């Protein structure tokens, strides 16, 4: 089904015009699609629908795919993230039919006479090349889920503050059906679904699992959103189908009394959900994880900032529970109280080959998007031993705001760490990647 030379050229020749009008494409696409298929609102992050984050990500993904149509391997990591996100949301092949129809209609509206019959056929083929890759991968993921199909009800068995301020809270969740939970890779996430008063549609967000796998419970850790521009709870926006309407869409089209208030799900969980209440989850997913079954004794370096400690804590707890004999370096930045610091300190006392480094009161008030020069200096002051730079096989897992991850990656690269030894958890729109020389 690959495009021939003529078709590839027709697609590539129209990319500049489509990229120039990307915002308009998203506006036309989503407003039309959601008008005709309002049921799709139940798959969307309402806040990101109004900010326009996800439509921009969708357009960028499709145009990036088309630009690399003859070298798709360059996009493999990004497509894997998309497939994992779709699987966590139970996206089905029929959704691709809907998206393709309205997307190509939007392309035609932008290109006008330039959208000839041949160009439309070429773009249709390009879209379905990508769609078939994603649906094929997603079908494989669904098979791995085995008997867990769709949504599963859980009860909140405990709720615990992880900081003195009470702005970070952990929820222990047990399945109502009492059946054993499947294993997951430490670092993966679940999609959570709740009903929020004043919101017309169900609200879905992704949360990293913050503890080692257990057969009878999962744990997620949630941060209160006071109005920052970066929402950990639902910011994995690289989804093809699960995207957003244009920021100009009316409130009535989304069905929310306060559609743009920050942290609508995270804050609702912290304020309104208590022990004994129920929520719904899908099967754990995600491409950012530590494989505990691999026979590996190389140093493990875990670097996090703020609430992004959650998936790395799952990795660390798994190392402890499975008695994996690996040197560990734990590096954590936070604005005030470092969540889980007492637990980390306790683990470090039991593991003679573990070192820790905490940076406090360095991040800005947003705790995610920016940080001061003093934090830069703190990070750059880490010794080669702190980062196990003298070991050419050390593995690095980094989770934090994009700027934080970029600086960490750049520092590692400058010190000779190869990109393939560094993994990132990407929550923000777009595709942050470690830069290569």
């Amino acid at each position: 089904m690959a495009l021939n030379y003529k078709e590839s050229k027709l697609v590539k020749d129209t990319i500049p015009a489509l990229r120039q009008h990307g915002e308009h494409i998203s506006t036309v696409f989503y407003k039309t699609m959601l008008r005709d298929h309002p049921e799709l609102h139940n798959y969307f992050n309402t806040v990101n629908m109004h900010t326009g984050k996800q439509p921009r990500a969708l357009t960028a993904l499709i145009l990036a795919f088309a630009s690399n149509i003859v070298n798709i391997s360059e996009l493999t990591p990004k497509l894997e993230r998309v497939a994992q996100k779709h699987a966590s949301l139970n996206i089905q092949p029929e959704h691709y039919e809907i998206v393709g129809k309205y997307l190509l209609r939007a392309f035609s509206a932008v290109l006008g006479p330039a959208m000839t019959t041949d160009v439309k056929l070429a773009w249709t083929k390009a879209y379905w090349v990508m769609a078939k890759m994603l649906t094929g991968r997603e079908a494989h993921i669904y098979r791995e889920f085995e008997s867990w199909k769709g949504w599963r009800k859980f009860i909140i068995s405990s709720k615990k503050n992880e900081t003195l301020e009470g702005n970070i809270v952990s929820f222990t969740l047990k399945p109502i059906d009492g059946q054993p939970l499947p294993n997951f890779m430490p670092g993966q996430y679940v999609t959570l679904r709740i009903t929020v008063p004043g919101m017309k549609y169900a609200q879905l967000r992704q949360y990293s699992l913050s503890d080692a796998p257990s057969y009878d419970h999962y744990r997620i850790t949630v941060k209160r959103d006071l109005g920052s521009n970066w929402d950990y709870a639902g910011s994995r926006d690289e989804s093809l189908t699960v995207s957003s309407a244009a920021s100009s869409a009316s409130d009535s089209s989304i069905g929310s009394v306060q559609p743009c208030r920050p942290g609508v799900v995270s804050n609702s969980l912290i304020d309104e959900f208590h022990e004994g209440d129920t929520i719904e989850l899908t099967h754990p997913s995600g491409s950012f994880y530590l494989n505990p079954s691999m026979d590996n004794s190389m140093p493990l370096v875990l670097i996090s900032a703020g609430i992004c400690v959650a998936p790395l804590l799952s990795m660390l707890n798994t190392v402890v529970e499975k008695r994996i004999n690996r040197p560990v370096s734990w590096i954590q930045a936070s604005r005030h109280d470092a969540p889980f610091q007492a637990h980390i300190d306790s683990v470090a006392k039991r593991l003679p080959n573990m070192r820790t480094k905490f940076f406090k009161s360095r991040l800005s008030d947003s705790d995610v998007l920016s940080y001061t020069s003093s934090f830069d200096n703190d990070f750059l002051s880490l010794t080669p031993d702190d980062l196990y730079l003298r070991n050419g096989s050390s593995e690095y897992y980094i989770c934090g705001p994009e700027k934080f991850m970029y600086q960490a990656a750049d520092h590692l690269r400058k010190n000779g760490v190869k990109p393939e030894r560094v993994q990132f958890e990407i929550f923000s729109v777009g595709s942050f990647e470690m830069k290569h020389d």
Side-chain angles (χ1 to χ4, degrees), residues 1-4 7-8 65 69 72 121-133:
M1 192 180 176
L3 276 68
N4 60 36
E7 292 167 334
S8 297
F65 182 87
I69 198 71
I72 296 174
L121 288 173
W123 264 110
T124 300
K125 192 171 182 179
Y127 171 79
W128 280 107
V129 168
M130 182 176 70
K132 292 296 184 183
M133 290 179 64

Side-chain angles (χ1 to χ4, degrees), residues 235-246:
S235 54
R236 297 177 175 89
D237 299 324
E238 297 173 302
S239 174
L240 172 62
T241 309
V242 185
S243 303
S244 58

Side-chain angles (χ1 to χ4, degrees), residues 231-258:
D231 181 15
Y232 168 79
S235 54
R236 297 177 175 89
D237 299 324
E238 297 173 302
S239 174
L240 172 62
T241 309
V242 185
S243 303
S244 58
S247 58
S248 60
S250 65
D251 291 355
S252 60
S253 71
I254 294 180
S256 168
V257 175
Q258 292 179 292

